Amino acid sequence: MTQILSEVFLDYSDILIRPKMGINLNSRKDVTLQRIFKFKHGQTRTGLGVFNANMSTVGNFVIASKLLARGMFATIHKHYTVPEIGEFLDSCRNQGVPLDNLFITIGLKNIDNEIQKLKDLESKYQWTTSRNICIDAPNFYIQKALDVLARVRQEFPDAVIMAGNIASGDICLKLLDYADIIKCGIGSGSACLTRKQTGCGTPMVSLILECADIAHSVGGHICADGGIVDIGDICKALCLNSDFVMVGGMFAGTDEAEGDIIEKHYETNEIVDEKHVIQTKCFKVYYGMSSEYANNKFAGGMGNYKTSEGRELLIPYTGSLDKILQDINGGIASCCTYIGATTIKHLSKCATIIRVNNQLNKIFEKYSV
């Protein structure tokens, strides 16, 4: 019988973090942004728990290297070849970019080939000291996904494994028998159409609370994946007890994201010499990995058994990724000072979350430059 859960499920736009007096902080400079992560299967990593999404537009080598250089975490998408990844690993070593927090993504399809890919990286490119694997599947509620996860753990017992995605807490314990980090979020990404095409998903705030509670009870970790609009949403996810946050669209308009800058010209209402002034705006293409565009590019087409659960978007061009990464650091540090958290790990202990009807004053937003 179909059930309807009557409780209210909340998203980032439904909440704010209420400031409070802290006794140990006088400046954002006093905040420790690095955290030591001790994983369920014995490994330890240190960094600020912000990832780039493992999508082809933002899960590339340039973005990954910049995140790693700033002490964050990074993924690279699953379509890179062994020589390409090997060249990247060598380049990072030569430039002094630490690789401890780099996650290499694999998919469910052709798992024998994916396993061999990882073994080739070990034997040919010394991918040994920091084995981190991201198993990418939009739907982890299928037996094949669980079987792949179990096999990867068997093949790489010392690896840090991140698996997902899920949108409910009931599957967490089963995944954490093998995984260290669970990616939580289905349908909340800006380039995702899953909720529109399938009706499936859970708002991120409620999902994070549910999954974090279950995962942390057995020593597991979660990564909030999707729905990040502003840096404040990253802060909210961390305050809600998510260990990691994955960012996609926020990085998609940068110089470092895949694709060329596209110029579009618009006729404005302003008239000079009896002609409308033409305004030029710049964009970059961003697309979901379940979109028709991605399927045509990487999988030889859609096939007659599935629908597109992603879309192509023109994201406003935002310039260098460096400015965004600096703002992420600054925004999280400021959030800590507003609630008296001296470290990232203390955010969830210090945060008081309030439900709101409106979080932003948007009256002049259309005039922003």
Side-chain angles (χ1 to χ4, degrees), residues 77-340:
H77 65 72
K78 62 188 177 185
H79 300 290
Y80 283 124
T81 65
V82 169
E84 288 171 335
I85 298 172
E87 184 179 347
F88 172 65
L89 297 178
D90 289 341
S91 174
C92 286
R93 294 182 184 115
N94 292 335
Q95 297 177 38
V97 176
L99 292 169
D100 289 351
N101 296 341
L102 174 66
F103 281 67
I104 294 176
T105 303
I106 63 172
L108 301 185
K109 190 176 181 180
N110 299 323
I111 187 57
D112 289 338
N113 292 342
E114 298 283 53
I115 295 290
Q116 189 59 51
K117 176 179 179 178
L118 297 176
K119 290 183 175 181
D120 286 345
L121 287 172
E122 285 188 324
S123 62
K124 297 178 181 179
Y125 297 99
Q126 294 76 53
W127 180 66
T128 54
T129 58
S130 56
R131 296 185 189 91
N132 305 313
I133 302 166
C134 175
I135 304 176
D136 176 52
N139 173 12
F140 241 85
Y141 295 90
I142 56 176
Q143 187 61 45
K144 180 179 180 179
L146 298 177
D147 293 342
V148 166
L149 172 58
R151 182 174 172 195
V152 172
R153 172 56 67 194
Q154 181 181 21
E155 296 277 0
F156 302 95
D158 297 328
V160 178
I161 299 176
M162 178 163 60
N165 285 36
I166 66 168
S168 62
D170 55 359
I171 197 173
C172 284
L173 294 179
K174 185 178 293 187
L175 296 184
L176 287 169
D177 284 339
Y178 308 102
D180 299 284
I181 310 167
I182 302 174
K183 277 209 295 168
C184 303
I186 289 178
S188 53
S190 57
C192 187
L193 292 177
T194 297
R195 293 181 181 178
K196 183 176 180 179
Q197 295 295 82
T198 72
C200 295
T202 302
M204 288 301 296
V205 167
S206 298
L207 179 62
I208 291 169
L209 288 172
E210 179 183 3
C211 293
D213 184 50
I214 296 171
H216 294 164
S217 71
V218 294
H221 293 71
I222 70 165
C223 177
D225 178 17
I228 299 298
V229 176
D230 302 302
I231 294 170
D233 295 333
I234 299 176
C235 299
K236 291 174 185 178
L238 295 171
C239 284
L240 291 163
N241 224 1
S242 186
D243 305 287
F244 301 91
V245 184
M246 190 162 273
V247 179
M250 188 181 294
F251 296 159
T254 63
D255 291 316
E256 293 81 357
E258 179 195 88
D260 297 326
I261 298 172
I262 298 171
E263 289 188 354
K264 284 190 170 290
H265 308 285
Y266 301 89
E267 187 178 86
T268 69
N269 292 326
E270 183 181 356
I271 297 176
V272 175
D273 295 331
E274 299 183 350
K275 294 181 180 180
H276 287 275
V277 173
I278 302 298
Q279 184 180 39
T280 300
K281 293 185 179 181
C282 295
F283 301 88
K284 297 196 79 169
V285 174
Y286 180 48
Y287 55 88
M289 294 306 287
S290 293
S291 66
E292 184 173 355
Y293 181 92
N295 274 275
N296 289 337
K297 183 173 183 178
F298 297 113
M302 287 297 297
N304 59 8
Y305 61 93
K306 57 184 176 180
T307 183
S308 173
E309 293 182 34
R311 58 183 170 181
E312 290 180 68
L313 299 170
L314 285 180
I315 300 290
Y317 169 66
T318 53
S320 173
L321 176 66
D322 295 324
K323 176 64 166 60
I324 294 177
L325 296 183
Q326 177 62 41
D327 286 344
I328 289 174
N329 276 320
I332 295 173
S334 287
C335 176
C336 288
T337 63
Y338 275 117
I339 64 174

Side-chain angles (χ1 to χ4, degrees), residues 35-47 73 100-101 129-132 158-160 180 221:
R35 172 183 168 184
I36 298 173
F37 296 92
K38 296 181 179 179
F39 293 111
K40 181 176 171 65
H41 294 86
Q43 314 87 336
T44 300
R45 301 287 184 266
T46 301
F73 288 74
D100 289 351
N101 296 341
T129 58
S130 56
R131 296 185 189 91
N132 305 313
D158 297 328
V160 178
D180 299 284
H221 293 71

Side-chain angles (χ1 to χ4, degrees), residues 8-83:
V8 176
F9 288 79
L10 303 175
D11 228 324
Y12 294 127
S13 59
D14 299 314
I15 65 166
L16 286 170
I17 307 159
R18 188 165 69 179
K20 65 176 71 169
M21 188 70 180
I23 61 173
N24 297 317
L25 287 173
N26 291 307
S27 168
R28 73 188 70 177
K29 293 185 294 185
D30 300 329
V31 175
T32 301
L33 291 178
Q34 297 286 291
R35 172 183 168 184
I36 298 173
F37 296 92
K38 296 181 179 179
F39 293 111
K40 181 176 171 65
H41 294 86
Q43 314 87 336
T44 300
R45 301 287 184 266
T46 301
L48 174 60
V50 175
F51 273 100
N52 58 321
N54 52 287
M55 306 165 71
S56 62
T57 43
V58 296
N60 63 32
F61 294 140
V62 180
I63 289 179
S65 64
K66 289 202 168 185
L67 285 162
L68 295 171
R70 283 186 172 264
M72 299 180 184
F73 288 74
T75 60
I76 54 174
H77 65 72
K78 62 188 177 185
H79 300 290
Y80 283 124
T81 65
V82 169

